Amino acid sequence: MTAFKFIRPTTITDSGGSFARSTTATYFDSAGVMQTAAIDVPRIGYNPVTHAYTGLILEGAGTNLLLRSAEFDNAAWVKDTTTITANSIAAPDGTVSADTQTTSGSGGPNTGWTQSAIITVSTSTTYTASRYVKQGNTATSIYSLARVSPYSAIFATITWGATPSVVGSGADLLGSSITAAGNGWWRVSLTMSSATATQMAERLYTRDLSTSVQSGDTVYTWGAQLEAGSTATSYIPTTSAAVTRAADVVTGSGLIYTDVPENDYPAWVGGTTYTALTSYVIRTTATTHKVYQCLVTHTAAATPEDNTTGVTPKWLEIGPTNRWGMFDRKVGTTTTKATSMTYLLKPGRANSLGLLGIDADSVEVSLVANDEIVYAASIDLNSGNTVGDWYQYFYEPIYSTDAVAITNLLDATLMDLPAYGDGVLCVRFLSTAGSVTCGVMAVGLYAELGTTLYDPTIGIIDYSRKSVDAFGNYDITERTYSKRMSATLMVESTDVDNTARLLTQYRATPVVWVGADNLYSSLIVYGFAKDWEETIKGPTHSTCSIQVEGLT
């Protein structure tokens, strides 16, 4: 079959980690539409054309120096033989705010353009200009960036077509590009150094510089930007002044951010009178994220976590808060949120992720390290569903290939995360309707024990109560259950000692056991090795029989 592995989870703590960005910022959503994220809300990016998941966006600060970045009819923009029809077509952000740039008369080369106001810049600094453009009725257009004194200009010649191309030119050209932005829009960019100049300006020509413009030539334009740096960053809208997008800042470790609120019940407050059995509170500290039930009517003095024992305990610990349910080493205590939920973690060195007890349509995972996305994947959790005929479609429950979907429980693992010690892991659960749920999120390093042979067994231990009276009447109380798995592994004889050491070391530590990668999700169990035994068969290959018992 495949390799038998286990993930050694890192303990995720509330150690003061945080995500912050003091301004709004833009990104493309899963429908390919540019959106604006609120202050202190992380951005999850998608390809605007394919709508493929691209991962968590972490950018440094940036400033758009151009004024009226999407208002080319404004006096801040200089026009030559050109008129602007404002708000004429849909822009990349889905609003009808893009403009049509039309030549208003015939002219020679180097006419028919819109130009930004002359912008003050710093000397000896690299700048990148960019604009969103869409083909009108010409075969080519020109984008230009120039420094004023001493004068030097660079150009990007756009050859329109199904896939437009760009050719950069100019002695001081440092870079040129064109990137698809969806719905026929493209973002063209140019990079050059200011050198000794203190002023720069960008310009868009409707037609190629080598030919005369004709009255009625058109190109569509939106979202101009000039910023310090060698690449175009996310779009920053401006009006009457330059605008700065603050940096995405991740500090601390452990849990960095989540959109799952921690408001299951009111927070415990000293001096408050609580009523037996009906009062519930939460305690949220660096070490405690728990729900408590009041057992004795009293006026609070000691905190709930310090008052759950003794002759007359005043509080009963119910379990973790919803936000922390997936981190408490139990599959049955879950984290749930309507439609979607996002977690940002800084777990330390880790190369694997185990998710158990999932009820969602998809999971998106990305890892950002050294200021770049080093891993991004979107997992369709319904891809294993099979429907044989129309009767099954309308009347039967949808079964997945491993029958897990019968109970709306799906387990998945990612074993190929790069092992970065300072990476930021983003995990997002999505549902097209209803809520999303996760029972266990385990992040850590994996160890490979051997190769699973084709005789594993899977099952459950059911803790439901079933009793029958003298007349054969059954009383059934459904309770929780735990998964179990048995497997025989083929182990290299040279690895026998290492396998024994690992199994002994983690004999009482809950880990994620992965019997066959994601070939059979039923062979993914969160628990411990109840029993194991190695048999040294010969000088090259040995076997290991292992029994894994899951946690509830």
Side-chain angles (χ1 to χ4, degrees):
M1 287 176 67
T2 61
F4 190 99
K5 305 172 183 177
F6 70 92
I7 302 171
R8 298 159 283 183
T10 297
T11 300
I12 301 300
T13 61
D14 181 6
S15 54
S18 66
F19 170 86
R21 187 189 59 252
S22 60
T23 65
T24 61
T26 60
Y27 67 100
F28 283 98
D29 67 12
S30 59
V33 179
M34 185 182 290
Q35 302 288 352
T36 299
I39 292 172
D40 292 335
V41 175
R43 292 171 290 166
I44 310 297
Y46 298 83
N47 184 296
V49 178
T50 66
H51 304 170
Y53 171 73
T54 57
L56 175 68
I57 301 172
L58 294 180
E59 288 185 303
T63 300
N64 187 357
L65 301 172
L66 300 181
L67 310 185
R68 307 289 178 182
S69 61
E71 302 172 57
F72 300 98
D73 59 322
N74 189 274
W77 291 89
V78 181
K79 294 91 172 171
D80 179 87
T81 322
T82 295
T83 59
I84 296 294
T85 305
N87 305 329
S88 56
I89 64 169
D93 68 352
T95 64
V96 182
S97 59
D99 298 346
T100 305
Q101 177 175 314
T102 307
T103 54
S104 55
S106 299
N110 203 31
T111 59
W113 43 259
T114 54
Q115 177 185 293
S116 69
I118 295 175
I119 303 298
T120 300
V121 296
S122 300
T123 59
S124 303
T125 303
T126 298
Y127 286 90
T128 296
S130 60
R131 246 205 242 198
Y132 289 92
V133 292
K134 185 174 183 177
Q135 183 179 15
N137 60 12
T138 63
T140 57
S141 297
I142 297 286
Y143 187 54
S144 176
L145 175 62
R147 54 184 187 233
V148 175
S149 178
Y151 175 79
S152 177
I154 58 175
F155 303 90
T157 301
I158 307 168
T159 301
W160 293 110
T163 304
S165 62
V166 156
V167 176
S169 60
D172 294 307
L173 176 72
L174 295 180
S176 62
S177 69
I178 191 165
T179 305
N183 196 29
W185 285 99
W186 297 79
R187 194 183 196 188
V188 60
S189 70
L190 284 167
T191 301
M192 75 182 304
S193 172
S194 59
T196 59
T198 59
Q199 294 177 320
M200 300 180 79
E202 64 95 70
R203 180 182 291 185
L204 177 65
Y205 295 85
T206 307
R207 179 185 283 269
D208 190 334
L209 291 178
S210 63
T211 58
S212 298
V213 300
Q214 304 296 319
S215 180
D217 287 346
T218 60
V219 66
Y220 301 105
T221 179
W222 184 82
Q225 187 155 303
L226 177 64
E227 60 191 310
S230 58
T231 59
T233 64
S234 60
Y235 173 56
I236 307 168
T238 68
T239 53
S240 59
V243 174
T244 296
R245 178 199 63 244
D248 298 295
V249 179
V250 172
T251 57
S253 60
L255 177 59
I256 299 299
Y257 168 90
T258 180
D259 57 4
V260 178
E262 199 165 20
N263 57 1
D264 311 43
Y265 296 99
W268 176 87
V269 178
T272 302
T273 298
Y274 293 103
T275 304
L277 303 182
T278 61
S279 292
Y280 290 81
V281 298
I282 61 171
R283 283 284 289 160
T284 56
T285 69
T287 57
T288 302
H289 292 271
K290 302 285 188 179
V291 176
Y292 295 90
Q293 181 188 23
C294 179
L295 298 178
V296 178
T297 299
H298 68 288
T299 299
T303 59
E305 63 268 29
D306 295 326
N307 211 337
T308 59
T309 59
V311 177
T312 309
K314 293 184 172 62
W315 294 97
L316 173 67
E317 181 183 309
I318 300 299
T321 60
N322 183 49
R323 174 182 288 183
W324 288 86
M326 68 172 73
F327 299 112
D328 75 333
R329 293 190 171 189
K330 294 182 180 179
V331 181
T333 51
T334 62
T335 298
T336 301
K337 185 174 176 288
T339 308
S340 69
M341 61 183 178
T342 302
Y343 276 80
L344 265 60
L345 308 175
K346 201 170 181 183
R349 191 165 178 262
N351 63 2
S352 52
L353 170 68
L355 304 172
L356 295 90
I358 308 169
D359 185 1
D361 291 325
S362 62
V363 176
E364 298 170 339
V365 180
S366 62
L367 182 65
V368 178
N370 302 327
D371 298 323
E372 64 176 328
I373 295 175
V374 296
Y375 183 95
S378 179
I379 307 168
D380 181 1
L381 300 180
N382 296 321
S383 60
N385 291 337
T386 56
V387 177
D389 53 37
W390 287 108
Y391 181 88
Q392 290 184 5
Y393 179 82
F394 283 108
Y395 301 111
E396 296 289 345
I398 297 178
Y399 295 83
S400 70
T401 53
D402 58 4
V404 175
I406 296 174
T407 60
N408 292 321
L409 177 69
L410 188 71
D411 299 331
T413 54
L414 293 174
M415 309 298 291
D416 54 349
L417 293 177
Y420 287 88
D422 203 36
V424 179
L425 181 68
C426 177
V427 183
R428 191 181 192 200
F429 304 84
L430 298 167
S431 175
T432 55
S435 299
V436 294
T437 298
C438 181
V440 171
M441 182 188 296
V443 185
L445 295 170
Y446 77 83
E448 184 173 322
L449 298 179
T451 301
T452 306
L453 300 179
Y454 258 111
D455 61 352
T457 62
I458 52 178
I460 66 168
I461 301 172
D462 187 12
Y463 299 101
S464 299
R465 179 179 176 273
K466 309 175 185 74
S467 61
V468 60
D469 63 19
F471 300 97
N473 298 309
Y474 272 89
D475 181 22
I476 300 176
T477 303
E478 182 177 313
R479 294 174 178 170
T480 190
Y481 69 93
S482 62
K483 296 171 70 173
R484 57 186 174 86
M485 169 179 64
S486 297
T488 300
L489 317 180
M490 183 175 67
V491 180
E492 299 286 340
S493 292
T494 53
D495 293 332
V496 165
D497 290 344
N498 186 56
T499 300
R501 179 186 60 80
L502 286 170
L503 290 173
T504 301
Q505 180 180 354
Y506 291 96
R507 65 190 182 279
T509 302
V511 299
V512 179
W513 301 91
V514 185
D517 284 343
N518 284 316
L519 184 59
Y520 298 101
S521 62
S522 299
L523 292 175
I524 302 170
V525 180
Y526 180 68
F528 58 92
K530 183 178 181 180
D531 193 16
W532 61 270
E533 184 177 67
E534 286 191 288
T535 302
I536 301 175
K537 296 279 190 177
T540 58
H541 292 91
S542 299
T543 60
C544 176
S545 60
I546 185 170
Q547 297 178 22
V548 175
E549 187 166 312
L551 301 180
T552 58

PDB file of all heavy atoms in Angstrom, residues 448-451 489-500 534-544:
ATOM      1  N   GLU A 448       7.803   8.396   9.749  1.00  0.00           N
ATOM      2  CA  GLU A 448       7.390   7.255   8.941  1.00  0.00           C
ATOM      3  C   GLU A 448       7.911   5.977   9.594  1.00  0.00           C
ATOM      4  O   GLU A 448       9.097   5.853   9.894  1.00  0.00           O
ATOM      5  CB  GLU A 448       7.928   7.388   7.520  1.00  0.00           C
ATOM      6  CG  GLU A 448       7.462   6.292   6.588  1.00  0.00           C
ATOM      7  CD  GLU A 448       7.874   6.549   5.147  1.00  0.00           C
ATOM      8  OE1 GLU A 448       7.849   7.727   4.721  1.00  0.00           O
ATOM      9  OE2 GLU A 448       8.239   5.574   4.459  1.00  0.00           O
ATOM     10  N   LEU A 449       6.993   5.019   9.803  1.00  0.00           N
ATOM     11  CA  LEU A 449       7.359   3.796  10.507  1.00  0.00           C
ATOM     12  C   LEU A 449       7.612   2.623   9.576  1.00  0.00           C
ATOM     13  O   LEU A 449       8.327   1.692   9.939  1.00  0.00           O
ATOM     14  CB  LEU A 449       6.249   3.414  11.495  1.00  0.00           C
ATOM     15  CG  LEU A 449       5.969   4.426  12.602  1.00  0.00           C
ATOM     16  CD1 LEU A 449       4.843   3.932  13.484  1.00  0.00           C
ATOM     17  CD2 LEU A 449       7.221   4.680  13.424  1.00  0.00           C
ATOM     18  N   GLY A 450       7.000   2.630   8.412  1.00  0.00           N
ATOM     19  CA  GLY A 450       7.148   1.512   7.488  1.00  0.00           C
ATOM     20  C   GLY A 450       6.109   1.596   6.403  1.00  0.00           C
ATOM     21  O   GLY A 450       5.492   2.644   6.197  1.00  0.00           O
ATOM     22  N   THR A 451       5.876   0.475   5.720  1.00  0.00           N
ATOM     23  CA  THR A 451       4.889   0.407   4.644  1.00  0.00           C
ATOM     24  C   THR A 451       3.713  -0.455   5.089  1.00  0.00           C
ATOM     25  O   THR A 451       3.905  -1.591   5.541  1.00  0.00           O
ATOM     26  CB  THR A 451       5.500  -0.185   3.366  1.00  0.00           C
ATOM     27  OG1 THR A 451       6.603   0.626   2.962  1.00  0.00           O
ATOM     28  CG2 THR A 451       4.470  -0.245   2.250  1.00  0.00           C
ATOM     29  N   LEU A 489       2.950  -3.738   9.279  1.00  0.00           N
ATOM     30  CA  LEU A 489       3.853  -2.904   8.495  1.00  0.00           C
ATOM     31  C   LEU A 489       5.063  -3.714   8.065  1.00  0.00           C
ATOM     32  O   LEU A 489       5.535  -4.599   8.795  1.00  0.00           O
ATOM     33  CB  LEU A 489       4.334  -1.713   9.318  1.00  0.00           C
ATOM     34  CG  LEU A 489       3.326  -0.967  10.184  1.00  0.00           C
ATOM     35  CD1 LEU A 489       4.019   0.178  10.898  1.00  0.00           C
ATOM     36  CD2 LEU A 489       2.157  -0.480   9.356  1.00  0.00           C
ATOM     37  N   MET A 490       5.564  -3.404   6.890  1.00  0.00           N
ATOM     38  CA  MET A 490       6.864  -3.906   6.476  1.00  0.00           C
ATOM     39  C   MET A 490       7.892  -2.843   6.826  1.00  0.00           C
ATOM     40  O   MET A 490       7.758  -1.674   6.419  1.00  0.00           O
ATOM     41  CB  MET A 490       6.899  -4.205   4.978  1.00  0.00           C
ATOM     42  CG  MET A 490       8.234  -4.798   4.517  1.00  0.00           C
ATOM     43  SD  MET A 490       8.219  -5.294   2.767  1.00  0.00           S
ATOM     44  CE  MET A 490       8.074  -3.677   1.992  1.00  0.00           C
ATOM     45  N   VAL A 491       8.903  -3.249   7.613  1.00  0.00           N
ATOM     46  CA  VAL A 491       9.906  -2.317   8.107  1.00  0.00           C
ATOM     47  C   VAL A 491      11.274  -2.780   7.631  1.00  0.00           C
ATOM     48  O   VAL A 491      11.591  -3.985   7.684  1.00  0.00           O
ATOM     49  CB  VAL A 491       9.874  -2.260   9.649  1.00  0.00           C
ATOM     50  CG1 VAL A 491      10.921  -1.292  10.177  1.00  0.00           C
ATOM     51  CG2 VAL A 491       8.484  -1.884  10.141  1.00  0.00           C
ATOM     52  N   GLU A 492      12.060  -1.835   7.151  1.00  0.00           N
ATOM     53  CA  GLU A 492      13.442  -2.163   6.841  1.00  0.00           C
ATOM     54  C   GLU A 492      14.132  -2.632   8.122  1.00  0.00           C
ATOM     55  O   GLU A 492      13.998  -1.996   9.182  1.00  0.00           O
ATOM     56  CB  GLU A 492      14.172  -0.951   6.280  1.00  0.00           C
ATOM     57  CG  GLU A 492      13.600  -0.400   4.992  1.00  0.00           C
ATOM     58  CD  GLU A 492      13.912  -1.271   3.788  1.00  0.00           C
ATOM     59  OE1 GLU A 492      14.876  -2.074   3.874  1.00  0.00           O
ATOM     60  OE2 GLU A 492      13.190  -1.167   2.785  1.00  0.00           O
ATOM     61  N   SER A 493      14.838  -3.744   8.055  1.00  0.00           N
ATOM     62  CA  SER A 493      15.468  -4.276   9.271  1.00  0.00           C
ATOM     63  C   SER A 493      16.431  -3.280   9.900  1.00  0.00           C
ATOM     64  O   SER A 493      16.620  -3.259  11.129  1.00  0.00           O
ATOM     65  CB  SER A 493      16.194  -5.587   8.949  1.00  0.00           C
ATOM     66  OG  SER A 493      15.256  -6.600   8.628  1.00  0.00           O
ATOM     67  N   THR A 494      17.023  -2.437   9.090  1.00  0.00           N
ATOM     68  CA  THR A 494      17.917  -1.411   9.632  1.00  0.00           C
ATOM     69  C   THR A 494      17.153  -0.345  10.419  1.00  0.00           C
ATOM     70  O   THR A 494      17.764   0.433  11.145  1.00  0.00           O
ATOM     71  CB  THR A 494      18.697  -0.735   8.494  1.00  0.00           C
ATOM     72  OG1 THR A 494      17.776  -0.257   7.504  1.00  0.00           O
ATOM     73  CG2 THR A 494      19.665  -1.717   7.856  1.00  0.00           C
ATOM     74  N   ASP A 495      15.810  -0.289  10.260  1.00  0.00           N
ATOM     75  CA  ASP A 495      14.997   0.707  10.953  1.00  0.00           C
ATOM     76  C   ASP A 495      14.255   0.129  12.149  1.00  0.00           C
ATOM     77  O   ASP A 495      13.443   0.823  12.769  1.00  0.00           O
ATOM     78  CB  ASP A 495      13.983   1.326   9.986  1.00  0.00           C
ATOM     79  CG  ASP A 495      14.642   2.165   8.911  1.00  0.00           C
ATOM     80  OD1 ASP A 495      15.733   2.704   9.178  1.00  0.00           O
ATOM     81  OD2 ASP A 495      14.073   2.275   7.801  1.00  0.00           O
ATOM     82  N   VAL A 496      14.474  -1.137  12.448  1.00  0.00           N
ATOM     83  CA  VAL A 496      13.740  -1.784  13.539  1.00  0.00           C
ATOM     84  C   VAL A 496      13.941  -1.045  14.860  1.00  0.00           C
ATOM     85  O   VAL A 496      12.982  -0.773  15.599  1.00  0.00           O
ATOM     86  CB  VAL A 496      14.152  -3.263  13.662  1.00  0.00           C
ATOM     87  CG1 VAL A 496      13.696  -3.848  14.992  1.00  0.00           C
ATOM     88  CG2 VAL A 496      13.573  -4.070  12.510  1.00  0.00           C
ATOM     89  N   ASP A 497      15.166  -0.712  15.182  1.00  0.00           N
ATOM     90  CA  ASP A 497      15.446  -0.042  16.457  1.00  0.00           C
ATOM     91  C   ASP A 497      14.787   1.335  16.508  1.00  0.00           C
ATOM     92  O   ASP A 497      14.238   1.739  17.547  1.00  0.00           O
ATOM     93  CB  ASP A 497      16.950   0.087  16.678  1.00  0.00           C
ATOM     94  CG  ASP A 497      17.609  -1.253  16.960  1.00  0.00           C
ATOM     95  OD1 ASP A 497      16.881  -2.213  17.282  1.00  0.00           O
ATOM     96  OD2 ASP A 497      18.844  -1.338  16.849  1.00  0.00           O
ATOM     97  N   ASN A 498      14.851   2.068  15.411  1.00  0.00           N
ATOM     98  CA  ASN A 498      14.255   3.402  15.386  1.00  0.00           C
ATOM     99  C   ASN A 498      12.743   3.324  15.521  1.00  0.00           C
ATOM    100  O   ASN A 498      12.122   4.139  16.224  1.00  0.00           O
ATOM    101  CB  ASN A 498      14.634   4.121  14.092  1.00  0.00           C
ATOM    102  CG  ASN A 498      14.164   5.554  14.070  1.00  0.00           C
ATOM    103  OD1 ASN A 498      14.485   6.331  14.964  1.00  0.00           O
ATOM    104  ND2 ASN A 498      13.381   5.913  13.062  1.00  0.00           N
ATOM    105  N   THR A 499      12.117   2.334  14.849  1.00  0.00           N
ATOM    106  CA  THR A 499      10.676   2.158  14.967  1.00  0.00           C
ATOM    107  C   THR A 499      10.287   1.847  16.405  1.00  0.00           C
ATOM    108  O   THR A 499       9.320   2.409  16.949  1.00  0.00           O
ATOM    109  CB  THR A 499      10.198   1.037  14.028  1.00  0.00           C
ATOM    110  OG1 THR A 499      10.512   1.385  12.680  1.00  0.00           O
ATOM    111  CG2 THR A 499       8.705   0.809  14.162  1.00  0.00           C
ATOM    112  N   ALA A 500      11.035   0.957  17.047  1.00  0.00           N
ATOM    113  CA  ALA A 500      10.766   0.619  18.442  1.00  0.00           C
ATOM    114  C   ALA A 500      10.925   1.830  19.344  1.00  0.00           C
ATOM    115  O   ALA A 500      10.128   2.052  20.277  1.00  0.00           O
ATOM    116  CB  ALA A 500      11.690  -0.507  18.885  1.00  0.00           C
ATOM    117  N   GLU A 534       7.199  -6.051  16.999  1.00  0.00           N
ATOM    118  CA  GLU A 534       8.030  -6.181  15.815  1.00  0.00           C
ATOM    119  C   GLU A 534       8.566  -7.602  15.706  1.00  0.00           C
ATOM    120  O   GLU A 534       8.934  -8.234  16.711  1.00  0.00           O
ATOM    121  CB  GLU A 534       9.196  -5.197  15.858  1.00  0.00           C
ATOM    122  CG  GLU A 534       8.795  -3.759  15.594  1.00  0.00           C
ATOM    123  CD  GLU A 534       9.998  -2.862  15.380  1.00  0.00           C
ATOM    124  OE1 GLU A 534      10.709  -2.571  16.363  1.00  0.00           O
ATOM    125  OE2 GLU A 534      10.225  -2.469  14.215  1.00  0.00           O
ATOM    126  N   THR A 535       8.621  -8.094  14.475  1.00  0.00           N
ATOM    127  CA  THR A 535       9.192  -9.413  14.202  1.00  0.00           C
ATOM    128  C   THR A 535      10.325  -9.249  13.201  1.00  0.00           C
ATOM    129  O   THR A 535      10.104  -8.770  12.084  1.00  0.00           O
ATOM    130  CB  THR A 535       8.135 -10.370  13.632  1.00  0.00           C
ATOM    131  OG1 THR A 535       7.060 -10.479  14.560  1.00  0.00           O
ATOM    132  CG2 THR A 535       8.736 -11.743  13.386  1.00  0.00           C
ATOM    133  N   ILE A 536      11.522  -9.625  13.594  1.00  0.00           N
ATOM    134  CA  ILE A 536      12.673  -9.503  12.698  1.00  0.00           C
ATOM    135  C   ILE A 536      12.683 -10.740  11.801  1.00  0.00           C
ATOM    136  O   ILE A 536      13.091 -11.834  12.208  1.00  0.00           O
ATOM    137  CB  ILE A 536      13.979  -9.369  13.489  1.00  0.00           C
ATOM    138  CG1 ILE A 536      13.906  -8.141  14.394  1.00  0.00           C
ATOM    139  CG2 ILE A 536      15.172  -9.266  12.544  1.00  0.00           C
ATOM    140  CD1 ILE A 536      15.100  -7.977  15.309  1.00  0.00           C
ATOM    141  N   LYS A 537      12.245 -10.551  10.564  1.00  0.00           N
ATOM    142  CA  LYS A 537      12.072 -11.664   9.643  1.00  0.00           C
ATOM    143  C   LYS A 537      13.381 -12.091   8.980  1.00  0.00           C
ATOM    144  O   LYS A 537      13.545 -13.244   8.597  1.00  0.00           O
ATOM    145  CB  LYS A 537      11.066 -11.283   8.554  1.00  0.00           C
ATOM    146  CG  LYS A 537       9.655 -11.019   9.057  1.00  0.00           C
ATOM    147  CD  LYS A 537       8.892 -12.302   9.260  1.00  0.00           C
ATOM    148  CE  LYS A 537       7.428 -12.040   9.513  1.00  0.00           C
ATOM    149  NZ  LYS A 537       6.647 -13.295   9.653  1.00  0.00           N
ATOM    150  N   GLY A 538      14.267 -11.140   8.802  1.00  0.00           N
ATOM    151  CA  GLY A 538      15.497 -11.437   8.102  1.00  0.00           C
ATOM    152  C   GLY A 538      16.407 -10.235   8.084  1.00  0.00           C
ATOM    153  O   GLY A 538      16.124  -9.196   8.695  1.00  0.00           O
ATOM    154  N   PRO A 539      17.500 -10.323   7.359  1.00  0.00           N
ATOM    155  CA  PRO A 539      18.497  -9.244   7.380  1.00  0.00           C
ATOM    156  C   PRO A 539      18.032  -7.972   6.671  1.00  0.00           C
ATOM    157  O   PRO A 539      18.610  -6.908   6.902  1.00  0.00           O
ATOM    158  CB  PRO A 539      19.706  -9.865   6.678  1.00  0.00           C
ATOM    159  CG  PRO A 539      19.130 -10.939   5.807  1.00  0.00           C
ATOM    160  CD  PRO A 539      17.955 -11.487   6.554  1.00  0.00           C
ATOM    161  N   THR A 540      17.032  -8.052   5.804  1.00  0.00           N
ATOM    162  CA  THR A 540      16.632  -6.862   5.043  1.00  0.00           C
ATOM    163  C   THR A 540      15.260  -6.340   5.439  1.00  0.00           C
ATOM    164  O   THR A 540      15.042  -5.131   5.502  1.00  0.00           O
ATOM    165  CB  THR A 540      16.637  -7.156   3.529  1.00  0.00           C
ATOM    166  OG1 THR A 540      15.750  -8.244   3.260  1.00  0.00           O
ATOM    167  CG2 THR A 540      18.045  -7.487   3.060  1.00  0.00           C
ATOM    168  N   HIS A 541      14.311  -7.246   5.677  1.00  0.00           N
ATOM    169  CA  HIS A 541      12.951  -6.795   5.963  1.00  0.00           C
ATOM    170  C   HIS A 541      12.406  -7.456   7.222  1.00  0.00           C
ATOM    171  O   HIS A 541      12.657  -8.636   7.473  1.00  0.00           O
ATOM    172  CB  HIS A 541      12.015  -7.087   4.789  1.00  0.00           C
ATOM    173  CG  HIS A 541      12.316  -6.280   3.573  1.00  0.00           C
ATOM    174  ND1 HIS A 541      13.185  -6.729   2.597  1.00  0.00           N
ATOM    175  CD2 HIS A 541      11.911  -5.052   3.187  1.00  0.00           C
ATOM    176  CE1 HIS A 541      13.271  -5.803   1.648  1.00  0.00           C
ATOM    177  NE2 HIS A 541      12.509  -4.777   1.991  1.00  0.00           N
ATOM    178  N   SER A 542      11.650  -6.663   7.981  1.00  0.00           N
ATOM    179  CA  SER A 542      10.988  -7.141   9.186  1.00  0.00           C
ATOM    180  C   SER A 542       9.546  -6.660   9.153  1.00  0.00           C
ATOM    181  O   SER A 542       9.130  -5.930   8.239  1.00  0.00           O
ATOM    182  CB  SER A 542      11.701  -6.615  10.434  1.00  0.00           C
ATOM    183  OG  SER A 542      13.037  -7.084  10.470  1.00  0.00           O
ATOM    184  N   THR A 543       8.762  -7.066  10.142  1.00  0.00           N
ATOM    185  CA  THR A 543       7.366  -6.632  10.214  1.00  0.00           C
ATOM    186  C   THR A 543       7.079  -6.039  11.582  1.00  0.00           C
ATOM    187  O   THR A 543       7.771  -6.299  12.565  1.00  0.00           O
ATOM    188  CB  THR A 543       6.394  -7.795   9.949  1.00  0.00           C
ATOM    189  OG1 THR A 543       6.601  -8.809  10.941  1.00  0.00           O
ATOM    190  CG2 THR A 543       6.581  -8.362   8.566  1.00  0.00           C
ATOM    191  N   CYS A 544       6.031  -5.237  11.616  1.00  0.00           N
ATOM    192  CA  CYS A 544       5.564  -4.650  12.866  1.00  0.00           C
ATOM    193  C   CYS A 544       4.044  -4.687  12.853  1.00  0.00           C
ATOM    194  O   CYS A 544       3.413  -4.135  11.943  1.00  0.00           O
ATOM    195  CB  CYS A 544       6.063  -3.220  13.027  1.00  0.00           C
ATOM    196  SG  CYS A 544       5.441  -2.380  14.507  1.00  0.00           S
TER     197      CYS A 544
END
